[in-house]
Amino acid sequence: MRKIKIVADSSCDLFELNHTEFAYAPMKIITAESEFIDDPALDTDAMVEHFDKYKGKSKSSCPNTADWLDAFGDADDIFCVTITSGLSGSFNSACAAKKIYEADNEGKRVFVIDTLSAGPEVTLTVEKLEEYIAQGMAYEDICNHITGYLKKTGLVFMLKSLKTFANNGRVSPVVAKIVGIAGICIVGKASDEGTLEPMHKCRGEKRSLETLVETLRSEGFRSGKISIGHCQNLSAADQLKKSILAKFQNAQVEIHKLKGLCSFYAEKGGVLVGFEKA
């Protein structure tokens, strides 16, 4: 009996699974004075409050090859899920670990999956892998099916601040200054290339949530699973869930608090939404 394992970096917002062996490789958030490790011991709310007031430079750090090898353990068949290669080196580190692991362990296999996304879409990917494994699918079939599944998922978001993205060179400082002024929020999506693509500037949270629902429809959602992750904004997540269920009766919606890395980038009030397309 081959030992099967799912491994992901902590952008998946999961630290354990119920039915499949699972391990995570933690991301880190680093400043000149502090280091925050994205693991169960992290007080995410305290970290968010820290960065809400912090004026200095900060950055995130992906798992290195050794971190991935530790997460692989001694499994025979490994499905390794990473945040988008468009924003992080996590995928490249995982591929380097795969080469070492397979070279040192004849017959063992690692399938590395670049989600071209983050947060709740990565969550959906991990959960779908667990579902395939529970069904008893063969390794090759799971590889094929999860590749196809990722073509039918997406990520949209509402952000109330782009300070962190600007500090990390992810968006223009000019664009970042607009957000937050007079209640302006950005609604956007993960692009096909794995970058974050701002689409709409909305005044106020109410209009932003309405635009999120409209964007879900325009991006192909009709029914299926939706995963909502929020950074200290449960009220917005609850309202979004109600609006989605009112418009899409067959939607299956879950809400969770974003963990460290996703909270760092989403910032206070941000909402990320992973979804299955028609």
Side-chain angles (χ1 to χ4, degrees):
M1 188 75 173
R2 294 182 67 84
K3 184 177 181 180
I4 302 172
K5 190 174 190 179
I6 300 172
V7 175
D9 60 42
S10 58
S11 73
C12 70
D13 284 329
L14 295 166
F15 294 133
E16 61 182 4
L17 295 176
N18 292 326
H19 307 295
T20 304
E21 186 169 352
F22 177 77
Y24 65 91
M27 309 285 276
K28 297 177 182 177
I29 300 97
I30 300 168
T31 73
E33 302 87 15
S34 308
E35 180 178 272
F36 301 87
I37 300 174
D38 192 7
D39 63 16
L42 177 64
D43 185 337
T44 303
D45 288 333
M47 184 199 77
V48 170
E49 295 301 329
H50 171 82
F51 282 110
D52 192 45
K53 300 177 179 65
Y54 185 70
K55 304 298 183 184
K57 291 289 186 180
S58 57
K59 64 180 181 178
S60 58
S61 174
C62 70
N64 60 34
T65 302
D67 294 329
W68 282 115
L69 289 170
D70 286 344
F72 291 172
D74 62 352
D76 299 306
D77 292 334
I78 299 167
F79 299 97
C80 178
V81 186
T82 79
I83 190 174
T84 172
S85 59
L87 296 175
S88 170
S90 186
F91 173 73
N92 290 333
S93 293
C95 288
K98 164 190 165 71
K99 289 181 181 179
I100 295 170
Y101 192 79
E102 291 181 339
D104 291 348
N105 299 277
E106 185 177 354
K108 296 191 175 186
R109 302 175 289 192
V110 182
F111 186 63
V112 184
I113 302 157
D114 180 359
T115 63
L116 297 176
S117 192
E121 190 175 358
V122 186
T123 306
L124 291 176
T125 304
V126 171
E127 291 174 346
K128 182 57 70 171
L129 282 167
E130 185 178 32
E131 182 182 315
Y132 290 153
I133 292 168
Q135 292 171 5
M137 273 191 192
Y139 174 85
E140 295 82 359
D141 290 337
I142 294 176
C143 295
N144 291 331
H145 276 75
I146 201 65
T147 301
Y149 179 74
L150 275 168
K151 295 176 181 177
K152 298 180 179 179
T153 60
L155 179 80
V156 296
F157 57 84
M158 176 196 76
L159 301 179
K160 294 188 173 185
S161 170
L162 293 176
K163 181 179 74 174
T164 298
F165 278 107
N167 284 344
N168 283 264
R170 309 297 195 204
V171 300
S172 161
V174 176
V175 174
K177 286 181 181 179
I178 296 171
V179 182
I181 297 175
I184 297 296
C185 302
I186 287 288
V187 171
K189 67 176 183 177
S191 71
D192 292 340
E193 294 75 33
T195 59
L196 296 184
E197 180 182 323
M199 300 170 68
H200 309 283
K201 293 191 287 289
C202 304
R203 190 177 296 279
E205 184 174 274
K206 182 175 183 293
R207 179 57 189 150
S208 299
L209 295 176
E210 292 170 352
T211 303
L212 265 183
V213 177
E214 294 165 6
T215 304
L216 280 169
R217 177 178 286 280
S218 67
E219 290 300 308
F221 181 76
R222 296 296 180 269
S223 65
K225 294 175 72 174
I226 286 183
S227 180
I228 300 174
H230 70 90
C231 180
Q232 295 188 356
N233 202 349
L234 179 58
S235 61
D238 282 336
Q239 181 55 55
L240 180 60
K241 178 177 180 178
K242 290 176 184 176
S243 299
I244 290 170
L245 293 174
K247 185 158 295 228
F248 307 101
Q249 294 183 354
N250 293 320
Q252 304 160 43
V253 185
E254 68 87 19
I255 294 173
H256 65 272
K257 288 180 67 174
L258 295 172
K259 301 296 192 296
L261 180 86
C262 291
S263 290
F264 173 63
Y265 282 109
E267 299 187 62
K268 186 184 290 187
V271 175
L272 309 182
V273 186
F275 63 97
E276 296 179 335
K277 299 179 183 179

